[in-house]
Amino acid sequence: MAGGGFGDEGGNLKRAHLYEYKITSYFIFACLVAATGGSLFGYDLGVSGGVTSMDDFLKDFFPKIYERKQAHLHETDYCKYDSQLLTLFTSSLYFAGLVSTFGASYVTTQRGRRASILVGAVSFFLGGLINAAAVNIGMLIIGRILLGVGIGFGNHAVPLYLSEMAPAKHRGAVNQLFQFTTCMGVLIANLINYKTDKIHPWGWRLSLGLATVPATLMFVGGLALPETPSSLVEQGKLEEAKRVLIKVRGTANVEAEFADLIEASEAARSIKHPFRNLLKRKNRPQLVLGAIGIPAFQQLTGNNSILFYAPVMFQTLGFGSGASLISSVLTSGMLVVASLVSMALVDRFGRRAFFLEAGTEMFCYMIAVAITLALKFGEGEKLPQSIGWFVVVIICLFVFAYGRSWGPLAWLVPSELFPLETRSVGQSMVVCVNLLFTALIAQCFLVSLCVLKYGIFLVFGGLIFIMSSFIFCLLPETKQVPIEEVYLLWKDHWFWKRYVGDQTSLSSLEEPLLPEEIRRR
């Protein structure tokens, strides 16, 4: 739970094996409540694409697209939904989120993880209300911006909260509660869209307005949440931090872990400019892998494009409105199942295994979709039903592979990599980069589909090959390694040791511990 730096770590290294814990009801409650923050992100991912495919919504706000859709009602057309204004409705939220995450970094550091969770819930609630009541595009965009602020704060605070509360042995499964609730949010949103699509003419308002429900749950639950011991120590509240740590761990024998928290906090206080510190040579692995590479690559898999625009895309491929929404429910259901598989097995098989195995599958599925559309789908030509359902199955398999790898691990792994002194600013970078690429993909997907046609899936396939190679070459295995000892992995890594090897002090040890020895302890 504590984070370590690159200074004198001898005490930390000798104490980590002394940590004791039990899985208490208090711990379970705190993690389940905090994890509801993922439902905000997931609900918006699922609801946006469904609403933008509803005729009533298009008639009210995007009449030209509605006319184009009706004019080609019996045709399939890659460019049917190409509109930068329509995609701005989706992507404006993510541009707002990436800006707000820097404010979230300040609140999370100064006021705690719980405070950021509450701010995120309030902002998301207001955004949902405004969107449901919108009478013009201006109100829609304002509502989306408030939703984005809520997601920026929630996505910043929740993964940190879960990682800091979890014991090292179960950190993977606990952190992935965030991804699980995100997936449930997507699934529930698609089910709601399926029902509200039949409610004329205001069904879309109900879909957007129901965003207030997960926001309310997150706010009410957040009022009862304990602050993490790491955050309390960071704020100088040592007695309260120890009290919470004892309650969360279910044992009074927390001296070793508490001592590490204090040492990590003292190291963090010595850093006056955390962002500048993150840019130092010794933190190059965390910067390249955790802050930039993994969160950017998560969006470049193409999965969120499918989630954003699943109903739109399936209508483009020739499915009717109802069939397209059913197809999107199938894909989001696969995402939920995949997240459960990942939660159950990631601490057993490790992060690298899931990244690489699923990456291989995702590459093959993208190529299969591209080839199928190239052979069987063209301008104004309806896709045969059997081929259409084949594409749906392949996309479901792709989503299942993503849902047990890049979906959850792109939040889990970065949260494991940063020491406490750069943890909050590092998480801000993670969220900022993630939402930046989310917004760019959201803004560019439909126009790319129009210009590149089936080639867009070849592009995603190539990017998946690149990111899998990136993981294979640069990411060491972090499963069950205490956060305060993760930095040792860089020292023994074939590439990163040239950046950190000469700056790591292990003077209090007779010889450095290898990653395998850490995990064996």
Side-chain angles (χ1 to χ4, degrees):
M1 187 158 74
F6 281 85
D8 182 6
E9 300 290 342
N12 283 355
L13 296 177
K14 289 184 178 181
R15 282 196 293 261
H17 67 288
L18 299 175
Y19 292 2
E20 293 185 10
Y21 72 91
K22 298 175 184 176
I23 302 299
T24 65
S25 56
Y26 187 72
F27 166 75
I28 294 172
F29 165 78
C31 291
L32 289 177
V33 170
T36 59
S39 64
L40 306 187
F41 191 29
Y43 187 84
D44 186 80
L45 281 175
V47 82
S48 299
V51 166
T52 53
S53 71
M54 293 181 185
D55 288 347
D56 293 325
F57 177 80
L58 293 175
K59 281 189 287 187
D60 286 344
F61 297 99
F62 303 96
K64 290 184 178 179
I65 298 175
Y66 174 74
E67 291 171 6
R68 189 192 311 167
K69 178 182 175 183
Q70 297 306 309
H72 297 276
L73 190 60
H74 301 294
E75 295 178 3
T76 51
D77 182 357
Y78 284 109
C79 302
K80 185 182 295 185
Y81 289 88
D82 179 25
S83 166
Q84 288 302 293
L85 190 59
L86 178 63
T87 51
L88 181 62
F89 165 74
T90 297
S91 61
S92 58
L93 179 147
Y94 303 104
F95 285 120
L98 70 89
V99 173
S100 68
T101 188
F102 293 104
S105 176
Y106 174 81
V107 173
T108 300
T109 301
Q110 300 298 321
R111 303 296 181 184
R113 286 53 166 154
R114 176 174 170 268
S116 278
I117 290 173
L118 293 174
V119 171
V122 171
S123 182
F124 200 85
F125 181 90
L126 294 175
L129 281 182
I130 292 175
N131 269 354
V135 293
N136 54 53
I137 292 178
M139 286 185 69
L140 279 180
I141 300 301
I142 291 172
R144 296 293 289 173
I145 289 172
L146 288 170
L147 291 171
V149 172
I151 285 177
F153 273 80
N155 285 15
H156 181 277
V158 173
L160 282 184
Y161 188 96
L162 295 174
S163 286
E164 289 182 346
M165 292 293 272
K169 187 175 181 181
H170 303 289
R171 189 172 61 242
V174 170
N175 185 275
Q176 288 191 61
L177 284 171
F178 177 76
Q179 177 67 11
F180 175 72
T181 56
T182 299
C183 298
M184 285 299 299
V186 174
L187 176 60
I188 291 170
N190 280 314
L191 290 171
I192 288 172
N193 282 339
Y194 179 69
K195 292 294 185 181
T196 58
D197 186 47
K198 299 177 175 62
I199 303 175
H200 304 288
W202 52 270
W204 63 269
R205 294 187 184 276
L206 184 58
S207 286
L208 295 179
L210 285 175
T212 58
V213 174
T216 301
L217 293 175
M218 183 174 165
F219 181 80
V220 173
L223 292 175
L225 276 181
E227 187 54 83
T228 70
S230 291
S231 180
L232 291 169
V233 170
E234 198 173 21
Q235 297 173 60
K237 302 176 181 179
L238 300 185
E239 291 186 6
E240 185 179 354
K242 189 170 185 179
R243 208 162 45 241
V244 172
L245 186 61
I246 290 172
K247 199 169 182 180
V248 169
R249 294 290 177 255
T251 176
N253 189 14
V254 296
E255 296 300 330
E257 188 170 2
F258 189 63
D260 282 350
L261 286 174
I262 293 175
E263 285 190 8
S265 179
E266 290 172 350
R269 286 197 191 97
S270 68
I271 305 299
K272 295 183 179 180
H273 304 286
F275 182 77
R276 193 180 302 169
N277 187 57
L278 182 61
L279 300 178
K280 288 183 178 180
R281 180 181 176 87
K282 68 179 183 179
N283 290 323
R284 198 62 49 78
Q286 294 95 320
L287 177 67
V288 173
L289 282 167
I292 299 175
I294 291 176
F297 279 137
Q298 184 196 46
Q299 299 309 313
L300 295 176
T301 59
N303 185 77
N304 277 358
S305 298
I306 293 171
L307 294 181
F308 288 150
Y309 301 116
V312 169
M313 185 173 67
F314 288 130
Q315 282 194 26
T316 293
L317 295 178
F319 291 83
S321 177
S324 69
L325 287 171
I326 291 174
S327 300
S328 62
V329 169
L330 288 175
T331 57
S332 54
M334 294 297 289
L335 205 58
V336 172
V337 175
S339 67
L340 292 172
V341 171
S342 188
M343 286 175 63
L345 300 177
V346 71
D347 284 319
R348 178 180 177 185
F349 293 107
R351 287 61 163 150
R352 277 172 56 88
F354 273 77
F355 269 131
L356 297 176
E357 182 274 329
T360 302
E361 285 190 41
M362 291 161 67
F363 172 80
C364 295
Y365 296 144
M366 277 293 165
I367 301 302
V369 170
I371 292 174
T372 302
L373 296 184
L375 295 175
K376 296 292 184 181
F377 180 71
E379 298 281 346
E381 179 183 344
K382 189 173 182 179
L383 196 68
Q385 188 176 29
S386 58
I387 300 298
W389 282 109
F390 172 76
V391 172
V392 171
V393 170
I394 292 297
I395 288 177
C396 284
L397 292 174
F398 173 87
V399 169
F400 184 72
Y402 169 90
R404 66 178 188 272
S405 58
W406 281 96
L409 299 186
W411 295 106
L412 166 61
V413 173
S415 74
E416 297 177 321
L417 300 185
F418 298 106
L420 184 60
E421 60 263 29
T422 59
R423 192 172 298 161
S424 183
V425 72
Q427 185 67 12
S428 286
M429 285 287 293
V430 171
V431 177
C432 180
V433 171
N434 185 281
L435 292 181
L436 173 62
F437 278 83
T438 303
L440 291 175
I441 292 294
Q443 191 67 29
C444 297
F445 177 71
L446 290 181
V447 67
S448 298
L449 184 65
C450 178
V451 174
L452 299 175
K453 300 180 174 58
Y454 62 85
I456 186 64
F457 297 100
L458 292 176
V459 171
F460 284 134
L463 289 170
I464 290 167
F465 178 81
I466 292 171
M467 64 186 70
S468 296
S469 302
F470 175 83
I471 292 296
F472 179 78
C473 294
L474 297 180
L475 181 68
E477 182 54 67
T478 58
K479 71 169 183 178
Q480 299 185 15
V481 181
I483 291 180
E484 69 278 357
E485 298 185 1
V486 166
Y487 81 94
L488 285 175
L489 301 178
W490 314 127
K491 183 180 182 297
D492 294 299
H493 190 271
W494 70 274
F495 180 79
W496 296 121
K497 65 183 179 183
R498 70 188 69 181
Y499 292 97
V500 305
D502 59 345
Q503 301 185 50
T504 304
S505 170
L506 294 170
S507 57
S508 61
L509 296 178
E510 293 183 6
E511 59 183 278
L513 293 173
L514 298 175
E516 291 79 6
E517 293 170 327
I518 295 172
R519 285 193 286 273
R520 197 160 50 243
R521 284 192 332 197

